[in-house]
Amino acid sequence: MILRVDLLQTELPPPSDPDPVGASAVQELLGGKFGEMSTFMNYTYQSFNFRNRQGARPFYDLVASIAAEEFGHIELVSTAINTMLTGSAEEDPAPNAGLTDIVDTRNTQQFIAGGASTLVQDSMGKPWSGDYVNATGDLIGDLTHNFFLETGARNNKLKVYEMVEHPAARALTGYLLVRGGVHQVAYARALENLTGVDMKKLFPSPRIPTDKIPECKPHIERGEHLKLYRFSPDDFQELSAVFNGMHPETGEKLKVAEEAHPEGAPAFDLPPQPAVFAPGPEPEEIEEIAAKLRDAADLPKHPTGLVAND
Amino acid sequence: MILRVDLLQTELPPPSDPDPVGASAVQELLGGKFGEMSTFMNYTYQSFNFRNRQGARPFYDLVASIAAEEFGHIELVSTAINTMLTGSAEEDPAPNAGLTDIVDTRNTQQFIAGGASTLVQDSMGKPWSGDYVNATGDLIGDLTHNFFLETGARNNKLKVYEMVEHPAARALTGYLLVRGGVHQVAYARALENLTGVDMKKLFPSPRIPTDKIPECKPHIERGEHLKLYRFSPDDFQELSAVFNGMHPETGEKLKVAEEAHPEGAPAFDLPPQPAVFAPGPEPEEIEEIAAKLRDAADLPKHPTGLVAND
Amino acid sequence: MILRVDLLQTELPPPSDPDPVGASAVQELLGGKFGEMSTFMNYTYQSFNFRNRQGARPFYDLVASIAAEEFGHIELVSTAINTMLTGSAEEDPAPNAGLTDIVDTRNTQQFIAGGASTLVQDSMGKPWSGDYVNATGDLIGDLTHNFFLETGARNNKLKVYEMVEHPAARALTGYLLVRGGVHQVAYARALENLTGVDMKKLFPSPRIPTDKIPECKPHIERGEHLKLYRFSPDDFQELSAVFNGMHPETGEKLKVAEEAHPEGAPAFDLPPQPAVFAPGPEPEEIEEIAAKLRDAADLPKHPTGLVAND
Amino acid sequence: MILRVDLLQTELPPPSDPDPVGASAVQELLGGKFGEMSTFMNYTYQSFNFRNRQGARPFYDLVASIAAEEFGHIELVSTAINTMLTGSAEEDPAPNAGLTDIVDTRNTQQFIAGGASTLVQDSMGKPWSGDYVNATGDLIGDLTHNFFLETGARNNKLKVYEMVEHPAARALTGYLLVRGGVHQVAYARALENLTGVDMKKLFPSPRIPTDKIPECKPHIERGEHLKLYRFSPDDFQELSAVFNGMHPETGEKLKVAEEAHPEGAPAFDLPPQPAVFAPGPEPEEIEEIAAKLRDAADLPKHPTGLVAND
Amino acid sequence: MILRVDLLQTELPPPSDPDPVGASAVQELLGGKFGEMSTFMNYTYQSFNFRNRQGARPFYDLVASIAAEEFGHIELVSTAINTMLTGSAEEDPAPNAGLTDIVDTRNTQQFIAGGASTLVQDSMGKPWSGDYVNATGDLIGDLTHNFFLETGARNNKLKVYEMVEHPAARALTGYLLVRGGVHQVAYARALENLTGVDMKKLFPSPRIPTDKIPECKPHIERGEHLKLYRFSPDDFQELSAVFNGMHPETGEKLKVAEEAHPEGAPAFDLPPQPAVFAPGPEPEEIEEIAAKLRDAADLPKHPTGLVAND
Amino acid sequence: MILRVDLLQTELPPPSDPDPVGASAVQELLGGKFGEMSTFMNYTYQSFNFRNRQGARPFYDLVASIAAEEFGHIELVSTAINTMLTGSAEEDPAPNAGLTDIVDTRNTQQFIAGGASTLVQDSMGKPWSGDYVNATGDLIGDLTHNFFLETGARNNKLKVYEMVEHPAARALTGYLLVRGGVHQVAYARALENLTGVDMKKLFPSPRIPTDKIPECKPHIERGEHLKLYRFSPDDFQELSAVFNGMHPETGEKLKVAEEAHPEGAPAFDLPPQPAVFAPGPEPEEIEEIAAKLRDAADLPKHPTGLVAND
């Protein structure tokens, strides 16, 4: 089971100029074959289906804890998309014609099926599919797959970086490149520890060093490219048996973080978009009802949740 | 972000007689339109995409914390399926013909694509699709959807209960019926608190009271049909503003649990199935390597993970 | 727009021995690429999208009225499937285990997603897709397609005839072979009248004369293999301009029926199946409520609907 | 079975400025998860699969007759799309380059696979799927679903209204909002009559009253927001037992129409588009052939069909 | 089995102005229902599945050799698309923002999933599906299908011709129209020889003579509209038994080519596109490595491959 | 372009006891994610989309020639499936009920959509999808993918080997394991030569040496596990620059074959199956027509094609 910590794994910028076309491209990192839904779900099901996990404990712990980190990644991509869509459709709802400006956007469903928000789709509007999950139970096979998956994911993150300049997209890809890079290393190290193969020379793949990307640098400076977190209050204690040795690109020492998870940052509370009824055509009514309900439940006057723009 | 607690939300029985055909039917509860992937992903994306969450905090907290519980449900369904498949294919691998007995099973991919394990598919082998997610951002609309989704999910759990008698399937459906029932109530209460509608008379839907199911009773006796958990170390403090009042079927008082999550139980460490290479054609080799790696990393002799059959 | 006449186009037998496996095969005639959903939807959208329909009136009338007949075909296939499924699952609902006997049926969703009833799928459980519709607007192209589609449909009906011996399946395929045969002729005649091509020698295709099938004979004796109906109170008066000449197999004269539609027959009112909650786990409750509502609305004591087993 | 009446359920404007991008968005109302194909097919299959229909006659009649109305809705959406596409591609066919202007339209297949015409797809080009049909046979479950489906459909109609200002799209959404609203009420009333629940406070959902939309007003003035039609020459006589009481928004009395169907209006006969071969690259040839065939069949000189621009 | 001849079946122009939007439309001819993947795979599987091939040898030879030609067509369409995409993204890779200009292209995956290159998709980004293959084994049925398929393919080629003016697209469609036309004739002749039907009057379909297209003329002048090739060193000797008689449009004599395949032309060696890492972010490194490897293997200094721009 | 050589790459046994259920499982090796359609299409499109192929010639030659070999693999899998299905349905066609015995087979469409023959689907009846193709253009990325793909393919072949004992399935998997193994080595060697990585220790993956499989031995004895063929009359001369060194499992020297392709063997001419109309309900009629056509074309009395059972 899981516990949610209502923080993003890293800070993302607040809404600025809306960029719905850019947001349609960022969807590839969410629901594409190599998007974060795929990494999240692959490692999650590999951990569920792991046989003889005691006998292969360090490998189980590795897969299970990286799975947990990936939830934070679908959260980050969604937040970036929602940030980029904010302001595209904030006008009054029907009978106002508040969506005419975006009729020619690439992903109309972000507004019709969504509320100026993320869909579980790729950049062409194709839904993510359970078929993207590869959980054969064969440990060497699954680690080989995971290394390949992270390589494909890194490729896609670099491409989206080049394609979309919106600050939220850049902050997103900068962070994901660093953390996905750690996972690519982790699966290579697991394979190396398991079979004796030496995969160092495949790094970086694609052949662009992470530290060349300006948006990656702050994270590298904080050492985020070297650390694996357990993402658990008490479990997954055996990461160090497989996540160890040197970073294949930088030669620095890989390490398991002492803290269970990155410090994180509260999300920006994105404003209502009445034209898409999010959270309703008249958001203030919902706010009033919520206030009354909170009052009746003896909750503090100010909402207890943590948001960046409180 | 999330933290994983490496426990199941409830105890499931250890492997007994394998039941691959039954396991193919249980897949509906995992990857079907009304399966747990759908509930997990619907509420997760609704929480990511929630606009003005401070202004509607109790509703955000409700959706976000139920989402977290649903991760535990995909874990439970997967564990039940894996348990039912254990023993179908435990013989030696090729050149042995260890899978001939199951060539006519309903879901061959549980053995070819999986390692006698869960796939992200429904009972007909159709992959789960991101298209099953409904996150419009319109709070009333999404809550209406969620009530309907839980009603459909309850229908399918009851049908799978009737169809599959394997102890793991029965333990699974018994628990899911109770907890899914709480979510059905929760979304009804949220709608009621938000709009004033009174949905009590729609319960139970389908028209079979939960307490008629023997496998539900132990959970009902522990009050699991009345409680919502926060599933967070510190967040989602405002559930009581919307999850309150009486249970529509029993008239008992609904309550928010004091503990963050159910106590849970360690999973049974499912044995290797060499014929499907899980975790490899020669599992003992992996075990030896893992032991050496653990030793080199100064980990205790006995694996640190918690499993039911330690 | 349409009006419904609550009759089947031909009589189907009442439920007898249930045949869920056979019913899973009959689905091909409903939701398969060459099933009745495809014929219905192809001609329907071709009629909606028909440009310059006044200038090509007889062709428009032909396509539009055959489309209307096809609705009756999806109704017939569904009724046959539902008839074959009746009795597979009529026991008490949960906690009874009334579905264990069919856990290994080919299409579990007929019971889990349906109520021992038809799904919009083919014989492998793949949903019908809008992609099966070909409505290019090019009249010659669409007629060529329709002739091909009816040829494929005839192939599939003959195969299902050979595969499933249940009386409902046989009555169904017997009727559909005769009426689909008329449509195959109709599109050939339309192409011939439009271009001068002579397609007679392609009949029968596949090379099995319809009158060899015993279940087709009663319909042939009534002349159903020669007639096209308008399926409209007043419209589609110009069929005779394209549906004319001789039947390519028998040499008999094709004709437009004077009556708007076949006489038809009331459907058998299929009994409840409580184990799948159809129409609910306790069907008699629904019946009582309906009786009260009918009484309150001053409706006659006996239901006004026409069913075969009244 | 059905009879077609070759009239639209309401009048739509003739072609004006083409709007292919807008037409790509309107596709959501045809082939989207909440589009008219979904409402049409859901209610149609629910009626086919209805068990014990005599015992629950008023509910059967309700579902079956609303299904019939929905055919008219797929016809209306298609007609609106075709109207909006008219003129985008009316030039001479190849070797002319008559489609270069629309190479960057959102839905190229409306021109390549279609003849400047409707496809059975949503606004992202994803085909409608039989998977969108929910016909469980559980009456309460299906009515709950139908209420939810109409709520989602209303959401999408409002969004498309905001997004597309073309007169055909506006006339379309204005009418569909009124009639879909009646269905939303009808399913709520059916649930209320069946279970005793009171769903009034959920209206309007989304929270925009229908009478705020100018294009809805003429229909409201004619009382179209209060009436259910039987859509049958003789059947479905028991609607009044479940469709009764007050309109939840306006408090006016709901009623079953005396006439079987709305008066309707002839469709505009959309002009040929030679560049997409609709009905052919040289439409006048087809017209001449048709004239000869009509003459040979002793049909009147003037085509018998009814069109708006005769 | 097959042998590859590393030549295109016809010459295509070198890259000129990039046209990514046009390239997204040309995808329809590759991965669309009527694209070259469909013709290639239909005939290939029909040949694999052909029963009693000795007894029906000329028909087997026909289908098998046309299948072989179609491989050359998927190669040509891909080459045209790649040519059109060349130059859209040739800048330096990340951290450069070399893809911002194409963020609003219709098919983002040509750049994110591909390397400015072809995908196995249609013009809406929907992947080609094995469901498009029709290989019933019924010879008359399959030939009827193939005639229809080529008719649909010809329709789509003409539409793409009208839609995209890029020289590569025009050279492509000009050639494909001529060769696809031969296949349309071939299947008609096969049907005629097998059944006696006379399909001449269905030509041309759509009703635009091929020789009206300027880009077709050079190929017609070389007689490419009359010839079928065996596409085999030694096999498929019996084409003349079914591919014979007159061309239905021109009245010229059809003939089997003496040479096994068209002379063909080397492809243009498309330049690297570093921004999409094709063949890598630093292409010159790969070139150096390849040079060393070639040297070590005693290969000639100059690469042995044949390209247009050597 | 390609030339077909009408021989199988290896001999397969003639039909024996039919095994339709086994044949449904073998479909995974044809249309599954890791089936031969995937290997064929991945390498084919990677070769089409290869940029700067002169500069990276040996790599281009490797991918292009392996692609050509894979066509032979889809042919082999199809032939094995067709062989296994032969005899399941050889009775007289309708009105005979010749398919009742197989109504409960796992893949009904092999008989309804096919003629007791292969479909482009996996073992669950899901069509192969263009989405399975990964052709990023990034050479290192694509080679990493290809190594992973061959690893997954080897896993699936071993599993199908264990699952299906029919002689055709065993002969098939024996051969494919050997040749797929060569491709796995080839991509590893390409990666090694390109980056310096040493992947030897990943072999064998899965951890079952190929020479343990009895059906592999004859091929190993002929050295088929060491050789790469050019599969071209004249092209792809530079394989030796990347396919070189030692076999990672056996230490033997890898080599490029002198002959262009394996000797191969003629296919068995599979007998008609009238019940599924393959090649028609009355196959002898087709045979007579073909004989007349051959005679008219001055072809030799005896068919010229090469088949195993001539």
Side-chain angles (χ1 to χ4, degrees), chain C residues 179-210:
Chain C
R179 294 305 305 164
V182 174
H183 300 168
Q184 201 183 13
V185 170
Y187 290 121
R189 287 299 299 146
L191 264 179
E192 291 172 347
N193 275 316
L194 185 58
T195 68
V197 74
D198 177 351
M199 302 184 73
K200 260 196 296 296
K201 297 223 172 128
L202 278 174
F203 286 84
S205 181
R207 282 287 192 251
I208 299 170
T210 304

Side-chain angles (χ1 to χ4, degrees), chain F residues 16 34 47 59 72 92 98 109 133 138 177 225 249 254 274 286:
Chain F
S16 48
F34 296 98
S47 70
F59 297 96
D92 283 346
Q109 291 187 335
V133 171
D138 179 14
L177 280 163
H225 62 306
E249 287 181 69
L254 301 170
I286 293 173

Side-chain angles (χ1 to χ4, degrees), chain E residues 145-195:
Chain E
H145 165 266
N146 296 353
F147 175 78
F148 157 67
L149 177 62
E150 290 289 349
T151 302
R154 192 170 186 272
N155 175 308
N156 282 199
K157 289 164 195 170
L158 286 163
K159 300 261 191 76
V160 170
Y161 178 94
E162 294 183 20
M163 198 178 262
V164 188
E165 290 185 301
H166 190 281
R170 285 295 174 97
L172 172 77
T173 45
Y175 185 74
L176 291 182
L177 280 163
V178 171
R179 294 303 306 163
V182 175
H183 299 167
Q184 200 182 15
V185 171
Y187 291 121
R189 286 299 298 145
L191 264 180
E192 292 172 347
N193 276 316
L194 185 59
T195 67

Side-chain angles (χ1 to χ4, degrees), chain A residues 8-65:
Chain A
L8 300 178
Q9 287 171 353
T10 195
E11 200 181 338
L12 288 181
S16 48
D17 285 347
D19 181 6
V21 166
S24 81
V26 177
Q27 285 278 163
E28 193 74 21
L29 301 186
L30 193 277
K33 194 161 49 164
F34 296 98
E36 301 298 329
M37 273 296 285
S38 287
T39 49
F40 177 36
M41 285 292 130
N42 267 280
Y43 312 149
T44 294
Y45 281 95
Q46 287 174 14
S47 69
F48 292 166
N49 295 353
F50 207 111
R51 289 181 174 277
N52 195 23
R53 50 182 83 163
Q54 282 296 62
R57 176 58 56 182
F59 297 96
Y60 173 76
D61 284 2
L62 185 88
V63 170
S65 60

